[in-house]
Amino acid sequence: MPRRPASPRPDDVPGFPARRAALRLLDAVLRRGDPLELALHGAAQGLPSADRALVHAIVAEVLRHLPDLDALIDGATKQVLPDDAKARMVLRIALAQTLALGTPAHAAIATALPLVDGGPRKLVHGVFGTVTRGEPVLPDPPTLPADVIERWAGQWGEAMPQAAARVYAVRPPVDISLRDASETAIWTDALNGTSFAPGHVRLPETAHIPELPGFAEGAWWVQDIAASCAARLLGPGEGRSVLDLCAAPGGKTMQLAAAGWRVTSIDQSKKRLERLTENLTRTGLSADILPADLRQWQPDAPVDAILLDAPCSATGIYRRHPDVLHRIGPRQIAELAELQGDLIARVAGWLKPGGQIIYATCSLERAEGEEQVERFLAAHPDFALLPAQTAELPQGLAPTPQGWLRTLPDTLTDQGGADGFFIARLAKASDQALTMKA
């Protein structure tokens, strides 16, 4: 009797190592709460760069469409699979490839089934077949997680999560900041872009960054238009001293240096500071760089200005990092808000009388923005909010009635949108004002 040929080992299945890495990465994000970008290195270790890119693409699409993928899976099973069940994880990966990345169904399931060797292969194969035979189409825009919708609607109203879902389906634009703002018209024309402010260009969707004119020469760097507003509110430096705190990878440091500030850039991550150093070298700008924990370090003398880009939930950049919608909840937001409060109170003591603090977070949570500044001002009578002015901001952005800048998912909607940010400018009273108050 002829012997049946042995089934191929999983590692011999073309494309399987990348799918195994995708499963590890998805587990790290959803079960352990690790950031996608940080967990990618460990999950895809040893894979070539093309496979690493595929791993990232698969998991990013799973996260972007997670509620809709789960709805398809639940509609094809008699009993609901646990959220962290391996079978559900594998089905998410297979369906995301087929429905979002255009992978043929037979190829997606062929690389998925070895992930459940010794497990529920029949279940995975059957559910995948049931779903794909129905020729489903993922909703456009994707459905946001229910808890995120509830949280954002509670803070901003029912229209906000609807706007957030609409822009979630749109590829985020690429903005650049220029080393020399006087060359804005030159670079806008050279790069076929659009400018909303001196020193800013929004690039066409097809732009391939490293190959564009001016990149290698350091004439500009990538930086979302909302993020660029923090340094804009400090204005020209004229040789004055500024601390850029939590500075890496350096967009704001380069803005400040280009505006004539004497910059000291501090970040806890030595690896991220390496990127900052590379960016400064490319652009020919200079700053003093220090790896330090702000809870332990302090300057030798007071400074003229401080830009605190505080550690935050990063929910404002959910379009670029869809993992934050699944990793971040009320507990994480509360913990980060406590850290932010400690940091801004600590660094306030490093400022000269008459100096300014820019407090910024790339968050859509009031606890990390509006509420943070309100608490700080209530506890520090020697500080006052210095309202942002429309003339200081890019076209299409405006300060709130309170005087700070808040960008939301409906900001610059017709031009491609902007990241979610909160930015406030706080001024310390001068010696004369403090004396008069006393």
Side-chain angles (χ1 to χ4, degrees):
M1 186 176 192
R3 181 177 298 175
R4 179 181 298 175
S7 299
R9 295 178 304 170
D11 283 344
D12 294 333
V13 176
F16 173 74
R19 275 65 177 189
R20 181 172 55 192
L23 181 60
R24 285 197 294 259
L25 181 56
L26 188 60
D27 180 72
V29 172
L30 294 181
R31 189 173 59 82
R32 298 205 305 263
D34 295 344
L36 174 62
E37 305 297 337
L38 293 180
L40 177 63
H41 175 74
Q45 197 166 14
L47 293 179
S49 59
D51 282 357
R52 288 171 60 89
L54 176 60
V55 171
H56 185 279
I58 291 172
V59 175
E61 289 304 322
V62 170
L63 297 171
R64 192 175 304 279
H65 297 281
L66 191 63
D68 299 315
L69 293 171
D70 281 347
L72 291 172
I73 294 168
D74 292 341
T77 56
K78 293 180 180 179
Q79 294 183 330
V80 176
L81 298 170
D83 283 348
D84 60 352
K86 192 173 187 180
R88 182 182 287 276
M89 292 284 203
V90 171
L91 282 164
R92 289 164 170 167
I93 288 171
L95 289 170
Q97 291 175 79
T98 299
L99 302 180
L101 295 176
T103 304
H106 67 84
I109 193 63
T111 52
L113 289 177
L115 294 171
V116 285
D117 262 357
R121 287 174 61 101
K122 288 185 178 179
L123 172 65
V124 169
H125 195 279
V127 172
F128 182 83
T130 298
V131 171
T132 53
R133 280 194 296 273
E135 299 183 354
V137 176
L138 290 172
D140 183 14
T143 303
L144 297 178
D147 59 330
V148 174
I149 294 174
E150 181 180 4
R151 188 174 76 238
W152 286 351
Q155 295 179 72
W156 306 107
E158 297 292 335
M160 186 277 204
Q162 296 174 19
R166 286 195 297 272
V167 299
Y168 201 25
V170 180
R171 183 178 179 181
V174 177
D175 295 312
I176 64 171
S177 291
L178 303 178
R179 184 178 58 199
D180 186 348
S182 70
E183 298 181 347
T184 301
I186 296 172
W187 286 111
T188 301
D189 182 62
L191 299 171
N192 194 28
T194 305
S195 179
F196 302 153
H200 164 267
V201 180
R202 176 158 286 186
L203 301 180
E205 286 190 15
T206 55
H208 189 244
I209 302 301
E211 298 177 358
L212 291 178
F215 177 79
E217 299 84 354
W220 51 265
W221 55 91
V222 174
Q223 184 180 34
D224 185 79
I225 192 168
S228 75
C229 292
R232 285 180 182 276
L233 289 183
L234 281 179
E238 300 172 338
R240 291 175 293 163
S241 59
V242 62
L243 297 177
D244 185 8
L245 306 178
C246 310
K252 298 175 184 67
T253 287
M254 290 183 286
Q255 277 183 284
L256 293 168
W261 288 90
R262 184 161 43 87
V263 189
T264 300
S265 300
I266 300 167
D267 200 282
Q268 192 170 355
S269 170
K270 292 183 179 179
K271 187 173 184 62
R272 283 167 57 83
L273 284 176
E274 290 175 5
R275 287 183 59 197
L276 193 157
T277 301
E278 291 169 359
N279 285 329
L280 288 173
T281 300
R282 182 174 61 83
T283 57
L285 297 167
S286 62
D288 293 329
I289 298 174
L290 293 175
D293 185 335
L294 296 181
R295 293 167 294 188
Q296 300 172 3
W297 180 88
Q298 65 180 39
D300 295 330
V303 296
D304 295 297
I306 294 171
L307 197 163
L308 175 60
D309 190 3
C312 72
S313 64
T315 51
I317 53 175
Y318 71 100
R319 285 201 291 174
R320 305 175 197 275
H321 302 279
D323 54 301
V324 301
L325 297 184
H326 307 286
R327 293 189 300 102
I328 298 297
R331 178 176 61 82
Q332 291 84 359
I333 293 168
E335 290 172 352
L336 287 161
E338 182 178 1
L339 173 60
Q340 293 152 9
D342 291 344
L343 289 179
I344 192 171
R346 176 172 170 77
V347 307
W350 304 347
L351 201 63
K352 292 178 182 179
Q356 296 178 10
I357 294 177
I358 302 294
Y359 173 80
T361 55
C362 56
S363 168
L364 289 169
E365 316 301 329
R366 287 185 181 272
E368 299 181 274
E370 290 84 348
E371 294 173 12
Q372 197 67 255
V373 166
E374 289 168 350
R375 279 196 302 271
F376 174 82
L377 291 174
H380 295 80
D382 55 333
F383 277 83
L385 182 74
L386 185 58
Q389 303 299 316
T390 300
E392 298 177 286
L393 300 172
Q395 180 183 349
L397 302 185
T400 67
Q402 296 87 347
W404 47 61
L405 177 66
R406 162 58 77 184
T407 58
L408 290 168
D410 62 355
T411 300
L412 296 176
T413 302
D414 294 338
Q415 292 81 30
D419 288 346
F421 254 84
F422 174 87
I423 303 171
R425 180 170 54 192
L426 309 170
K428 186 174 184 178
S430 64
D431 282 333
Q432 182 180 5
L434 290 171
T435 301
M436 293 175 64
K437 196 177 228 183

